[in-house]
Amino acid sequence: MQEFFTWNALLTCSGATLATTMLTQFLKELGFIKKIPTRIFSYVVAVVLMLLAMLFEDAFSLENVAIALINATVVALASNGAFDAVNS
């Protein structure tokens, strides 16, 4: 394995969850982002990551975008839960 992440890995639940957790925790204290509830921000991060991964993997379609919005909810909830478990 030569990379930490690949776009294809970000299309998996575990890859998307790990990347969402890391980006959310890294960015949540920046400027205007600080005012956004973390759970909402993590959902936005998950959606953006999944849409970018689909775009770069030539999997971008209306059907995939629709399911990505639902899958991003699962990823964001898993990300928040993982952080809460590690943090407590």
Side-chain angles (χ1 to χ4, degrees):
M1 182 170 153
Q2 296 178 352
E3 299 121 6
F4 287 105
F5 285 106
T6 62
W7 290 111
N8 194 25
L10 291 177
L11 288 173
T12 66
C13 187
S14 59
T17 300
L18 180 59
T20 298
T21 303
M22 291 187 323
L23 285 173
T24 299
Q25 296 311 313
F26 184 73
L27 298 173
K28 74 179 185 179
E29 295 297 321
L30 295 177
F32 73 94
I33 296 172
K34 193 180 225 180
K35 298 176 183 175
I36 302 170
T38 303
R39 295 187 192 282
I40 301 297
F41 181 64
S42 67
Y43 176 75
V44 170
V45 169
V47 168
V48 169
L49 281 174
M50 295 176 109
L51 293 179
L52 285 174
M54 286 189 302
L55 184 66
F56 291 125
E57 286 294 315
D58 293 324
F60 200 84
S61 68
L62 185 59
E63 296 87 7
N64 287 342
V65 169
I67 199 70
L69 296 175
I70 297 168
N71 287 340
T73 304
V74 174
V75 167
L77 289 172
S79 171
N80 295 329
F83 181 76
D84 290 344
V86 169
N87 201 29
S88 61

XYZ file of all heavy atoms in Angstrom:
670
model
N 0.849 -1.179 0.000
C 0.000 0.000 0.000
C 0.891 1.238 0.000
O 1.698 1.431 0.892
C -0.899 -0.008 1.229
C -1.838 1.137 1.284
S -3.026 0.839 2.628
C -3.415 2.496 3.013
N 0.743 2.077 -1.004
C 1.594 3.249 -1.148
C 0.942 4.527 -0.651
O 1.622 5.513 -0.443
C 2.003 3.415 -2.605
C 2.849 2.265 -3.093
C 3.195 2.425 -4.554
O 2.692 3.297 -5.225
N 4.053 1.558 -5.042
N -0.359 4.513 -0.479
C -1.065 5.708 -0.036
C -1.831 5.410 1.245
O -2.178 4.281 1.531
C -2.065 6.174 -1.107
C -1.429 6.549 -2.421
C -1.973 5.697 -3.547
O -2.908 4.918 -3.320
O -1.456 5.800 -4.652
N -2.100 6.473 1.995
C -2.941 6.318 3.172
C -4.393 6.123 2.752
O -5.095 5.287 3.260
C -2.831 7.542 4.083
C -1.528 7.606 4.810
C -0.554 8.505 4.433
C -1.276 6.758 5.873
C 0.644 8.565 5.112
C -0.078 6.813 6.559
C 0.895 7.720 6.167
N -4.839 6.957 1.811
C -6.209 6.877 1.302
C -6.172 6.853 -0.216
O -5.286 7.429 -0.828
C -7.041 8.101 1.721
C -7.461 8.103 3.151
C -6.852 8.941 4.065
C -8.480 7.277 3.590
C -7.239 8.962 5.389
C -8.881 7.284 4.913
C -8.256 8.125 5.808
N -7.159 6.201 -0.780
C -7.419 6.314 -2.214
C -8.865 6.778 -2.344
O -9.655 6.652 -1.405
C -7.249 4.966 -2.939
O -8.204 4.032 -2.421
C -5.840 4.416 -2.769
N -9.201 7.319 -3.505
C -10.588 7.749 -3.702
C -11.528 6.559 -3.597
O -12.631 6.665 -3.077
C -10.752 8.470 -5.036
C -10.089 9.801 -5.025
C -8.982 10.180 -5.715
C -10.484 10.945 -4.249
N -8.667 11.480 -5.405
C -9.572 11.976 -4.523
C -11.510 11.190 -3.347
C -9.659 13.235 -3.933
C -11.604 12.436 -2.757
C -10.690 13.444 -3.050
N -11.071 5.415 -4.060
C -11.900 4.215 -3.970
C -12.111 3.804 -2.513
O -13.190 3.367 -2.130
C -11.250 3.081 -4.771
C -12.199 1.933 -5.007
O -13.408 2.115 -5.012
N -11.656 0.759 -5.200
N -11.068 3.952 -1.682
C -11.200 3.615 -0.257
C -12.188 4.544 0.441
O -12.860 4.147 1.391
C -9.842 3.684 0.432
N -12.287 5.790 -0.032
C -13.231 6.735 0.572
C -14.681 6.414 0.225
O -15.597 6.969 0.815
C -12.894 8.166 0.147
C -11.595 8.718 0.723
C -11.340 10.108 0.184
C -11.632 8.734 2.234
N -14.870 5.524 -0.723
C -16.222 5.089 -1.055
C -16.693 3.945 -0.146
O -17.838 3.522 -0.221
C -16.310 4.656 -2.523
C -16.237 5.795 -3.528
C -16.163 5.245 -4.954
C -17.422 6.734 -3.386
N -15.809 3.450 0.708
C -16.207 2.417 1.666
C -16.653 3.085 2.960
O -16.252 4.209 3.265
C -15.044 1.455 1.973
O -14.016 2.173 2.662
C -14.486 0.820 0.707
N -17.437 2.388 3.720
C -17.928 2.941 4.991
C -16.778 3.232 5.950
O -16.712 4.300 6.549
C -18.934 1.982 5.626
S -19.733 2.665 7.090
N -15.866 2.311 6.072
C -14.765 2.511 7.021
C -13.820 3.623 6.569
O -13.374 4.437 7.388
C -13.993 1.208 7.236
O -13.470 0.728 6.010
N -13.516 3.687 5.290
C -12.648 4.744 4.778
C -13.279 6.114 4.921
O -12.638 7.073 5.345
N -14.555 6.207 4.572
C -15.260 7.483 4.683
C -15.401 7.913 6.144
O -15.264 9.097 6.464
C -16.635 7.381 4.026
N -15.638 6.954 7.028
C -15.778 7.275 8.454
C -14.464 7.790 9.030
O -14.442 8.806 9.741
C -16.265 6.049 9.245
O -17.535 5.640 8.722
C -16.392 6.358 10.722
N -13.374 7.115 8.726
C -12.075 7.544 9.238
C -11.703 8.928 8.714
O -11.290 9.807 9.480
C -10.992 6.526 8.869
C -9.576 6.860 9.336
C -9.522 7.000 10.852
C -8.610 5.794 8.865
N -11.864 9.149 7.419
C -11.528 10.451 6.833
C -12.434 11.554 7.381
O -11.973 12.668 7.663
C -11.626 10.384 5.313
N -13.708 11.263 7.551
C -14.642 12.242 8.100
C -14.270 12.604 9.529
O -14.275 13.780 9.907
C -16.091 11.706 8.047
O -16.445 11.479 6.680
C -17.070 12.680 8.669
N -13.924 11.604 10.329
C -13.520 11.859 11.712
C -12.293 12.760 11.754
O -12.263 13.758 12.482
C -13.207 10.537 12.450
O -14.356 9.702 12.393
C -12.820 10.784 13.898
N -11.289 12.426 10.979
C -10.048 13.204 10.997
C -10.266 14.634 10.516
O -9.817 15.587 11.162
C -8.984 12.512 10.136
C -8.501 11.221 10.746
S -7.095 10.445 9.900
C -7.397 10.753 8.202
N -10.953 14.798 9.397
C -11.171 16.150 8.874
C -12.061 16.987 9.783
O -11.810 18.176 9.987
C -11.766 16.080 7.468
C -10.788 15.690 6.373
C -11.520 15.482 5.056
C -9.713 16.756 6.214
N -13.086 16.374 10.342
C -13.974 17.107 11.238
C -13.220 17.608 12.462
O -13.324 18.781 12.831
C -15.162 16.228 11.683
O -15.915 15.853 10.528
C -16.059 16.952 12.662
N -12.448 16.734 13.081
C -11.718 17.126 14.282
C -10.627 18.152 13.980
O -10.345 19.021 14.794
C -11.127 15.898 14.984
C -12.163 14.930 15.493
C -13.261 15.608 16.299
O -12.993 16.422 17.169
N -14.514 15.289 15.993
N -10.044 18.080 12.814
C -8.993 19.008 12.430
C -9.539 20.393 12.104
O -8.922 21.407 12.420
C -8.230 18.445 11.222
C -7.065 19.281 10.801
C -5.908 19.312 11.562
C -7.119 20.034 9.644
C -4.827 20.088 11.175
C -6.045 20.814 9.250
C -4.887 20.838 10.018
N -10.719 20.438 11.480
C -11.256 21.707 10.974
C -12.295 22.375 11.868
O -12.593 23.554 11.680
C -11.885 21.483 9.592
C -10.952 21.005 8.491
C -11.751 20.663 7.240
C -9.894 22.056 8.198
N -12.845 21.673 12.836
C -14.020 22.183 13.558
C -13.776 23.438 14.379
O -14.715 24.119 14.744
C -14.642 21.097 14.432
C -13.872 20.756 15.675
C -14.609 19.695 16.463
C -13.916 19.415 17.771
N -14.636 18.400 18.534
N -12.541 23.792 14.665
C -12.250 24.987 15.456
C -11.857 26.189 14.596
O -11.468 27.222 15.130
C -11.143 24.694 16.473
C -11.533 23.681 17.535
C -12.681 24.138 18.404
O -12.742 25.332 18.757
O -13.543 23.298 18.725
N -11.945 26.071 13.286
C -11.566 27.164 12.393
C -12.710 28.161 12.218
O -13.845 27.770 11.966
C -11.168 26.633 11.020
C -9.918 25.770 10.957
C -9.705 25.270 9.542
C -8.709 26.554 11.422
N -12.398 29.434 12.327
C -13.283 30.549 12.016
C -14.767 30.295 12.110
O -15.301 29.975 13.169
N -15.436 30.450 10.965
C -16.899 30.323 10.928
C -17.365 28.898 11.192
O -18.495 28.671 11.628
C -17.455 30.816 9.586
C -17.188 29.881 8.442
C -18.124 28.932 8.082
C -15.991 29.943 7.727
C -17.887 28.057 7.029
C -15.751 29.089 6.673
C -16.690 28.143 6.321
N -16.503 27.908 10.965
C -16.872 26.512 11.181
C -17.131 26.259 12.666
O -17.966 25.439 13.035
C -15.780 25.565 10.644
C -15.671 25.722 9.127
C -16.048 24.121 11.016
C -14.506 25.001 8.505
N -16.446 27.014 13.518
C -16.589 26.875 14.964
C -18.029 27.099 15.421
O -18.470 26.547 16.422
C -15.658 27.886 15.647
C -15.439 27.689 17.097
C -14.505 28.771 17.603
C -13.462 28.168 18.480
N -12.524 29.138 19.010
N -18.781 27.914 14.647
C -20.164 28.241 15.011
C -21.164 27.177 14.560
O -22.318 27.194 14.972
C -20.537 29.594 14.397
C -19.681 30.729 14.921
C -20.003 32.019 14.238
C -19.061 33.104 14.741
N -19.239 34.366 14.042
N -20.729 26.261 13.706
C -21.608 25.206 13.189
C -21.563 24.021 14.158
O -20.470 23.607 14.566
C -21.146 24.751 11.789
C -21.119 25.927 10.819
C -22.032 23.629 11.260
C -20.461 25.613 9.497
N -22.714 23.455 14.517
C -22.688 22.258 15.369
C -21.848 21.146 14.726
O -21.933 20.912 13.515
C -24.156 21.845 15.475
C -24.919 23.097 15.191
C -24.079 23.873 14.213
N -21.040 20.495 15.529
C -20.100 19.495 15.005
C -20.813 18.377 14.262
O -20.325 17.903 13.236
C -19.246 18.919 16.146
O -18.575 20.000 16.792
C -18.215 17.937 15.634
N -21.958 17.959 14.734
C -22.685 16.865 14.060
C -23.139 17.271 12.662
O -23.098 16.450 11.738
C -23.867 16.419 14.908
C -23.420 15.797 16.219
C -24.574 15.198 16.986
N -24.224 14.849 18.340
C -23.542 13.760 18.685
N -23.133 12.932 17.778
N -23.280 13.525 19.963
N -23.534 18.512 12.495
C -23.924 19.004 11.166
C -22.685 19.125 10.285
O -22.697 18.733 9.108
C -24.637 20.379 11.273
C -25.887 20.282 12.149
C -24.938 20.952 9.898
C -26.950 19.369 11.618
N -21.604 19.664 10.844
C -20.384 19.823 10.074
C -19.831 18.479 9.616
O -19.377 18.336 8.487
C -19.323 20.592 10.880
C -18.055 20.811 10.120
C -18.044 21.597 8.980
C -16.879 20.226 10.539
C -16.879 21.787 8.264
C -15.711 20.418 9.827
C -15.704 21.200 8.691
N -19.890 17.469 10.472
C -19.390 16.146 10.072
C -20.230 15.557 8.943
O -19.697 14.868 8.068
C -19.333 15.185 11.265
O -20.611 14.877 11.744
N -21.526 15.839 8.929
C -22.370 15.375 7.820
C -21.944 16.055 6.516
O -21.815 15.399 5.480
C -23.852 15.646 8.105
C -24.735 15.277 6.944
C -25.024 13.946 6.664
C -25.269 16.253 6.096
C -25.815 13.593 5.581
C -26.056 15.907 5.025
C -26.328 14.582 4.766
O -27.095 14.239 3.689
N -21.690 17.349 6.578
C -21.257 18.081 5.381
C -19.922 17.530 4.885
O -19.735 17.316 3.680
C -21.170 19.600 5.673
C -20.504 20.341 4.533
C -22.548 20.161 5.962
N -19.001 17.273 5.806
C -17.708 16.700 5.433
C -17.905 15.340 4.762
O -17.303 15.054 3.719
C -16.782 16.577 6.664
C -15.546 15.744 6.351
C -16.385 17.950 7.166
N -18.756 14.505 5.329
C -19.015 13.178 4.765
C -19.604 13.283 3.360
O -19.183 12.563 2.447
C -19.944 12.382 5.679
N -20.556 14.182 3.171
C -21.167 14.357 1.845
C -20.115 14.802 0.833
O -20.016 14.240 -0.263
C -22.342 15.364 1.889
C -22.773 15.768 0.499
C -23.515 14.782 2.651
N -19.331 15.795 1.195
C -18.311 16.312 0.269
C -17.307 15.222 -0.088
O -16.962 15.037 -1.262
C -17.615 17.559 0.857
C -16.393 17.942 0.062
C -18.596 18.722 0.940
N -16.830 14.490 0.917
C -15.876 13.409 0.647
C -16.456 12.355 -0.285
O -15.790 11.913 -1.224
C -15.450 12.745 1.958
C -14.410 13.452 2.792
C -14.216 12.725 4.122
C -13.098 13.558 2.057
N -17.691 11.971 -0.030
C -18.302 10.925 -0.850
C -18.554 11.405 -2.278
O -18.331 10.664 -3.240
C -19.582 10.429 -0.197
C -19.309 9.739 1.120
S -20.806 9.268 1.954
C -20.709 7.516 1.740
N -18.992 12.648 -2.421
C -19.228 13.183 -3.767
C -17.920 13.318 -4.540
O -17.865 12.985 -5.733
C -19.957 14.520 -3.693
C -21.390 14.480 -3.169
C -21.978 15.884 -3.121
C -22.266 13.557 -4.001
N -16.872 13.786 -3.875
C -15.567 13.883 -4.544
C -15.054 12.501 -4.934
O -14.527 12.322 -6.044
C -14.557 14.582 -3.633
C -14.694 16.082 -3.497
C -13.720 16.615 -2.442
C -14.449 16.774 -4.839
N -15.188 11.530 -4.042
C -14.739 10.172 -4.347
C -15.496 9.610 -5.550
O -14.894 9.001 -6.439
C -14.911 9.269 -3.131
N -16.802 9.836 -5.598
C -17.583 9.359 -6.746
C -17.158 10.065 -8.020
O -17.053 9.444 -9.079
C -19.083 9.575 -6.505
C -19.677 8.617 -5.525
S -21.477 8.707 -5.422
C -21.746 10.392 -4.971
N -16.892 11.347 -7.928
C -16.481 12.122 -9.095
C -15.155 11.597 -9.644
O -15.021 11.365 -10.852
C -16.364 13.597 -8.720
C -16.046 14.571 -9.840
C -17.202 14.626 -10.833
C -15.774 15.943 -9.271
N -14.186 11.377 -8.762
C -12.867 10.935 -9.209
C -12.822 9.455 -9.576
O -11.897 9.021 -10.264
C -11.815 11.243 -8.146
C -11.554 12.709 -8.000
C -11.660 13.323 -6.769
C -11.223 13.491 -9.096
C -11.419 14.675 -6.622
C -10.991 14.852 -8.973
C -11.089 15.443 -7.736
N -13.789 8.690 -9.138
C -13.858 7.271 -9.484
C -14.848 7.001 -10.624
O -15.199 5.853 -10.873
C -14.247 6.441 -8.255
C -13.137 6.292 -7.239
C -11.974 5.476 -7.761
O -12.201 4.413 -8.367
O -10.828 5.920 -7.574
N -15.293 8.039 -11.297
C -16.256 7.925 -12.402
C -17.522 7.176 -11.999
O -18.083 6.401 -12.768
C -15.614 7.250 -13.624
C -14.531 8.106 -14.241
O -14.691 9.346 -14.256
O -13.517 7.542 -14.699
N -17.975 7.400 -10.792
C -19.193 6.767 -10.292
C -20.267 7.812 -10.009
O -21.247 7.528 -9.335
C -18.884 5.971 -9.028
N -20.082 9.020 -10.517
C -20.993 10.127 -10.241
C -22.230 10.003 -11.118
O -22.170 10.090 -12.333
C -20.283 11.457 -10.516
C -20.923 12.638 -9.849
C -20.610 12.945 -8.533
C -21.839 13.422 -10.515
C -21.189 14.037 -7.902
C -22.420 14.505 -9.899
C -22.095 14.814 -8.591
N -23.374 9.745 -10.483
C -24.656 9.671 -11.182
C -25.737 10.124 -10.214
O -25.512 10.190 -9.007
C -24.945 8.246 -11.662
O -25.163 7.387 -10.564
N -26.890 10.429 -10.735
C -27.993 10.881 -9.898
C -28.346 9.835 -8.840
O -28.579 10.169 -7.674
C -29.213 11.215 -10.762
C -30.402 11.818 -10.035
C -29.999 13.120 -9.342
C -31.537 12.084 -11.007
N -28.349 8.576 -9.240
C -28.665 7.500 -8.295
C -27.631 7.428 -7.174
O -27.974 7.275 -5.992
C -28.727 6.144 -9.005
C -29.839 6.034 -10.025
C -29.421 6.539 -11.408
O -28.222 6.854 -11.623
O -30.301 6.645 -12.275
N -26.359 7.548 -7.531
C -25.304 7.470 -6.522
C -25.290 8.686 -5.612
O -24.995 8.566 -4.416
C -23.940 7.289 -7.189
C -23.762 5.896 -7.741
O -24.463 4.967 -7.383
N -22.823 5.749 -8.658
N -25.600 9.852 -6.151
C -25.672 11.058 -5.316
C -26.793 10.916 -4.294
O -26.614 11.237 -3.117
C -25.867 12.327 -6.178
C -26.206 13.532 -5.315
C -24.625 12.602 -7.012
N -27.931 10.407 -4.733
C -29.067 10.234 -3.827
C -28.723 9.288 -2.684
O -29.007 9.573 -1.516
C -30.282 9.720 -4.603
N -28.073 8.176 -2.997
C -27.736 7.218 -1.935
C -26.585 7.743 -1.079
O -26.501 7.434 0.115
C -27.433 5.807 -2.505
C -27.561 4.741 -1.410
C -26.086 5.728 -3.146
C -28.948 4.494 -0.967
N -25.711 8.560 -1.655
C -24.597 9.148 -0.895
C -25.113 10.063 0.213
O -24.523 10.133 1.295
C -23.653 9.908 -1.812
N -26.214 10.747 -0.042
C -26.793 11.620 0.984
C -27.265 10.811 2.192
O -27.149 11.252 3.329
C -27.934 12.441 0.400
C -27.546 13.422 -0.705
C -28.783 14.085 -1.297
C -26.556 14.452 -0.194
N -27.764 9.623 1.926
C -28.188 8.735 3.015
C -26.972 8.097 3.673
O -26.852 8.072 4.905
C -29.154 7.651 2.490
C -30.427 8.315 1.954
C -29.464 6.623 3.583
C -31.315 7.396 1.159
N -26.045 7.612 2.861
C -24.839 6.983 3.402
C -24.012 7.968 4.228
O -23.370 7.574 5.208
C -23.980 6.399 2.286
C -24.586 5.149 1.692
O -25.428 4.498 2.300
N -24.177 4.817 0.482
N -24.020 9.227 3.848
C -23.273 10.246 4.594
C -23.820 10.387 6.008
O -23.068 10.691 6.942
C -23.314 11.576 3.865
N -25.100 10.139 6.190
C -25.692 10.170 7.523
C -25.095 9.054 8.376
O -24.705 9.275 9.531
C -27.224 10.016 7.450
O -27.752 11.029 6.597
C -27.854 10.110 8.815
N -25.002 7.871 7.817
C -24.419 6.731 8.530
C -22.955 7.021 8.863
O -22.506 6.789 9.988
C -24.534 5.441 7.681
C -23.811 4.283 8.343
C -25.989 5.106 7.414
N -22.214 7.552 7.893
C -20.798 7.858 8.095
C -20.623 8.926 9.171
O -19.772 8.798 10.056
C -20.148 8.298 6.761
C -18.775 8.916 6.982
C -20.062 7.119 5.807
N -21.417 9.989 9.113
C -21.303 11.068 10.105
C -21.646 10.568 11.510
O -20.951 10.895 12.472
C -22.205 12.234 9.720
N -22.691 9.773 11.627
C -23.058 9.226 12.937
C -21.971 8.294 13.472
O -21.641 8.335 14.663
C -24.397 8.500 12.863
C -25.625 9.397 12.675
C -26.866 8.550 12.410
C -25.828 10.294 13.873
N -21.408 7.467 12.604
C -20.317 6.578 13.016
C -19.081 7.387 13.413
O -18.409 7.077 14.398
C -19.970 5.602 11.901
N -18.815 8.422 12.656
C -17.673 9.299 12.953
C -17.837 9.973 14.308
O -16.913 9.986 15.125
C -17.543 10.351 11.849
O -16.604 11.324 12.187
N -19.002 10.526 14.554
C -19.264 11.189 15.832
C -19.208 10.196 16.984
O -18.664 10.488 18.038
C -20.629 11.885 15.807
C -20.667 13.015 14.814
O -19.662 13.658 14.547
N -21.830 13.249 14.238
N -19.765 9.020 16.773
C -19.744 8.000 17.814
C -18.344 7.517 18.111
O -17.981 7.298 19.272
N -17.533 7.345 17.085
C -16.150 6.912 17.283
C -15.363 7.943 18.068
O -14.617 7.599 18.994
C -15.483 6.646 15.931
N -15.557 9.223 17.728
C -14.838 10.266 18.451
C -15.300 10.329 19.902
O -14.483 10.450 20.816
C -15.010 11.623 17.783
C -14.263 12.711 18.495
C -12.890 12.814 18.368
C -14.918 13.600 19.332
C -12.179 13.791 19.053
C -14.226 14.579 20.017
C -12.850 14.686 19.878
N -16.603 10.227 20.125
C -17.129 10.258 21.494
C -16.587 9.085 22.320
O -16.265 9.249 23.505
C -18.659 10.231 21.491
C -19.274 11.525 20.968
O -18.550 12.537 20.904
O -20.470 11.500 20.636
N -16.477 7.917 21.692
C -15.981 6.741 22.412
C -14.509 6.902 22.775
O -14.095 6.546 23.884
C -16.169 5.499 21.552
N -13.721 7.437 21.868
C -12.286 7.626 22.124
C -12.074 8.753 23.127
O -11.187 8.677 23.985
C -11.530 7.933 20.817
C -10.111 8.388 21.075
C -11.529 6.708 19.921
N -12.889 9.777 23.043
C -12.734 10.966 23.875
C -13.159 10.739 25.329
O -12.713 11.433 26.218
C -13.519 12.136 23.277
C -13.026 13.460 23.767
O -11.861 13.616 24.087
N -13.916 14.432 23.807
N -14.026 9.758 25.570
C -14.510 9.552 26.951
C -13.768 8.465 27.674
O -12.870 7.888 27.299
C -15.994 9.220 26.950
O -16.244 8.046 26.233
